[in-house]
């Protein structure tokens, strides 16, 4: 294995984050390696969303650093961090409802200039999500929840990210759609993408991830392979809410 493959593509190293005097993350360390799917699990107010905001530069760590491809990115603007290769599928999808599916996908590639590769990536997205191809001319707001999630994921992939972040992809979806969404995430995984999923649905997330971290009141309390976490009796203790 080369040095590049051994080095995490995304790393949080001893990151603490405060909102005013309140510590929201405490000494959080996370490593994500190329091609991995890693999940961050936790209940409400555990620090999951703040972890994402810190990676994206919305929130600056009060101590510790965030690395992308071996370079420190904490302190950079969100635009710079996105340009360097982080893309996000936000909670509740946040599509531009009055724009067509095509226009939403094109927005994902707005920082890119490599037109031939953009066209190839668009075709790959449409191969991965055949339903999206059928809906290209429709306004995004007219799609079903599952279709909107596909478009949101396709839009994020159009940025050709080094790491794809997903914030609560199952949030607000009916149980049958949750299964669909995780099938979609598996399809993205099969494209060889590096994915970091923040999710409350532990069983679902661990069923498709390589590894997981469990965060509770801003501290990582468990980390292991997904299979070991599924079998770990401490999961019930650490994880707020029944599994």
């Amino acid at each position: 294995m080369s040095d590049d493959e051994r080095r995490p593509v995304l790393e949080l190293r001893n990151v603490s984050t405060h909102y005013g005097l309140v510590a929201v993350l405490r000494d959080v360390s996370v490593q994500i390696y190329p091609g991995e799917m890693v999940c961050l699990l936790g209940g409400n107010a555990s620090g999951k969303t703040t972890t994402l905001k810190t990676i994206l530069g919305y929130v600056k760590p009060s101590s510790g650093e965030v690395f992308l491809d071996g370079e420190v990115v904490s302190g950079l603007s969100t635009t710079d961090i996105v340009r360097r290769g982080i893309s996000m599928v936000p909670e509740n999808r946040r599509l531009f409802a009055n724009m067509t599916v095509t226009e939403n996908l094109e927005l994902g590639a707005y920082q890119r200039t490599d037109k031939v590769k953009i066209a190839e990536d668009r075709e790959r997205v449409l191969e991965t999500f055949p339903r999206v191809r059928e809906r290209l001319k429709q306004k995004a707001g007219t799609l079903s929840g599952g279709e909107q999630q596909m478009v949101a994921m396709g839009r994020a992939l159009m940025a050709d990210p080094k790491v794809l972040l997903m914030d609560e992809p199952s949030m607000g979806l009916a149980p049958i759609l949750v299964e669909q969404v995780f099938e979609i995430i598996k399809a993205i995984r099969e494209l060889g993408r590096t994915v970091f999923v923040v999710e409350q649905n532990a069983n679902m997330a661990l069923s498709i991830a390589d590894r997981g971290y469990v965060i509770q009141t801003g501290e990582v309390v468990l980390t292991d392979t997904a299979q070991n976490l599924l079998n770990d009796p401490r999961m019930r203790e650490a994880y707020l809410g029944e599994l």
Side-chain angles (χ1 to χ4, degrees), residues 89-95 148-149 152 167-169 171-173:
V89 182
E91 186 188 322
N92 296 328
R93 302 170 288 282
R94 304 223 181 118
L95 297 177
Q148 287 189 18
Q149 188 65 280
D167 187 9
E168 303 278 12
M171 175 78 78
L173 294 178

Side-chain angles (χ1 to χ4, degrees), residues 142-166:
T142 66
L143 304 183
S144 70
E147 289 166 348
Q148 287 189 18
Q149 188 65 280
M150 290 178 204
V151 175
M153 291 181 184
R155 179 178 65 185
L157 287 170
M158 287 299 295
D160 191 24
K162 291 172 184 169
V163 182
L164 183 62
L165 306 179
M166 295 188 185

Side-chain angles (χ1 to χ4, degrees), residues 80-227:
D80 274 343
I81 292 169
V82 169
R83 192 176 289 130
R84 283 167 184 244
I86 289 189
S87 192
M88 167 96 153
V89 182
E91 186 188 322
N92 296 328
R93 302 170 288 282
R94 304 223 181 118
L95 297 177
F96 292 91
N98 289 323
M99 294 170 74
T100 65
V101 169
T102 294
E103 288 165 337
N104 272 276
L105 291 176
E106 285 169 353
L107 278 173
Y110 80 100
Q111 292 205 23
R112 297 174 61 186
T113 54
D114 48 340
K115 287 188 176 164
V116 173
K117 180 78 164 55
I118 290 171
E120 286 172 6
D121 286 348
R122 182 178 186 273
E123 187 52 35
R124 197 167 294 120
V125 164
L126 298 179
E127 279 170 15
T128 307
F129 308 129
R131 187 86 57 82
V132 173
R133 193 191 295 274
E134 295 165 15
R135 303 282 189 269
L136 286 173
K137 291 179 179 167
Q138 271 182 242
K139 287 193 172 178
T142 66
L143 304 183
S144 70
E147 289 166 348
Q148 287 189 18
Q149 188 65 280
M150 290 178 204
V151 175
M153 291 181 184
R155 179 178 65 185
L157 287 170
M158 287 299 295
D160 191 24
K162 291 172 184 169
V163 182
L164 183 62
L165 306 179
M166 295 188 185
D167 187 9
E168 303 278 12
S170 73
M171 175 78 78
L173 294 178
I176 191 161
L177 283 178
V178 171
E179 288 193 23
Q180 262 183 40
V181 163
F182 280 94
E183 286 301 316
I184 294 164
I185 298 171
K186 263 165 72 176
I188 289 173
R189 164 72 188 285
E190 279 153 23
L191 297 173
R193 292 289 179 180
T194 306
V195 183
F196 187 38
V197 183
V198 168
E199 181 55 72
Q200 276 196 35
N201 189 329
N203 280 336
M204 270 297 200
L206 290 171
S207 73
I208 61 170
D210 295 300
R211 294 186 300 113
Y213 292 83
V214 180
I215 191 168
Q216 189 178 18
T217 56
E219 291 182 70
V220 172
V221 292
L222 282 175
T223 177
D224 209 330
T225 64
Q227 193 55 54

